[in-house]
Amino acid sequence: MSTIVKFFAAPDDASAALAVGGGPGPAYESLSFGNFDVEEAVVDWECLFLGSDFEELLEAGEPRIVAEDDDGSVVVALSERLADALAEAEPSRLHEVATVWAGQQAEDGATIDSGVAGEILASLGSLARGAERSGHGLYCWVA
């Protein structure tokens, strides 16, 4: 489980990889959260938004690791499909997915409030819309 989670938009993998040492700097619009497994969450979200299969996504290497640091920090890229789904989702759809995701987390023994889950996905939807307008991809730094 990650203790620091920062989603951010960057123009490309090489630019995003620079964040591995200490997170995205002020040059990148970012969102800070904490205490959930980002790689699992990203796969869950893709499954919920797009009907993807969890095992197939893992076998396909999703989410894709862009950079790793010796201290355990990583930068992962969210798939273009997920970024598009987040950008295009209506608030009601974001809320629906957040509620289901929070329920899945509870079944797995993890606790995430459905309101917090809703805030995470609503904020990511906004970040994804901005990234789409600027031609950037979505990434996440975890430490």
Side-chain angles (χ1 to χ4, degrees), residues 59-104:
E59 288 175 18
E62 292 293 339
R64 186 171 46 82
I65 295 176
V66 173
E68 296 180 79
D69 200 348
D70 291 337
D71 70 358
S73 298
V74 296
V75 174
V76 297
L78 279 66
S79 74
E80 191 172 316
R81 287 172 20 120
L82 178 56
D84 289 346
L86 286 163
E88 295 167 7
E90 296 292 330
S92 61
R93 179 68 175 140
L94 292 165
H95 176 75
E96 174 189 330
V97 169
T99 301
V100 173
W101 176 56
Q104 289 176 337

Side-chain angles (χ1 to χ4, degrees), residues 8-21 28 64-67 75-77 137 139:
F8 64 103
D12 53 43
D13 288 357
S15 299
L18 297 174
V20 75
Y28 298 112
R64 186 171 46 82
I65 295 176
V66 173
V75 174
V76 297
Y139 298 88

Side-chain angles (χ1 to χ4, degrees), residues 1-81:
M1 183 172 301
S2 304
T3 56
I4 303 172
V5 176
K6 289 190 177 184
F7 290 94
F8 64 103
D12 53 43
D13 288 357
S15 299
L18 297 174
V20 75
Y28 298 112
E29 181 180 359
S30 66
L31 305 168
S32 296
F33 302 106
N35 296 325
F36 66 94
D37 184 328
V38 170
E39 293 181 60
E40 182 179 315
V42 168
V43 171
D44 287 344
W45 297 336
E46 189 152 343
C47 290
L48 292 168
F49 277 109
L50 301 164
S52 302
D53 179 80
F54 191 89
E55 295 300 323
E56 288 175 8
L57 289 171
L58 293 179
E59 288 175 18
E62 292 293 339
R64 186 171 46 82
I65 295 176
V66 173
E68 296 180 79
D69 200 348
D70 291 337
D71 70 358
S73 298
V74 296
V75 174
V76 297
L78 279 66
S79 74
E80 191 172 316
R81 287 172 20 120

Side-chain angles (χ1 to χ4, degrees), residues 10 21-23 29 61 102 104-105 107 117 120 127 131 135-136:
E29 181 180 359
Q104 289 176 337
Q105 292 298 295
E107 288 175 10
I120 291 169
L127 183 66
H136 291 181

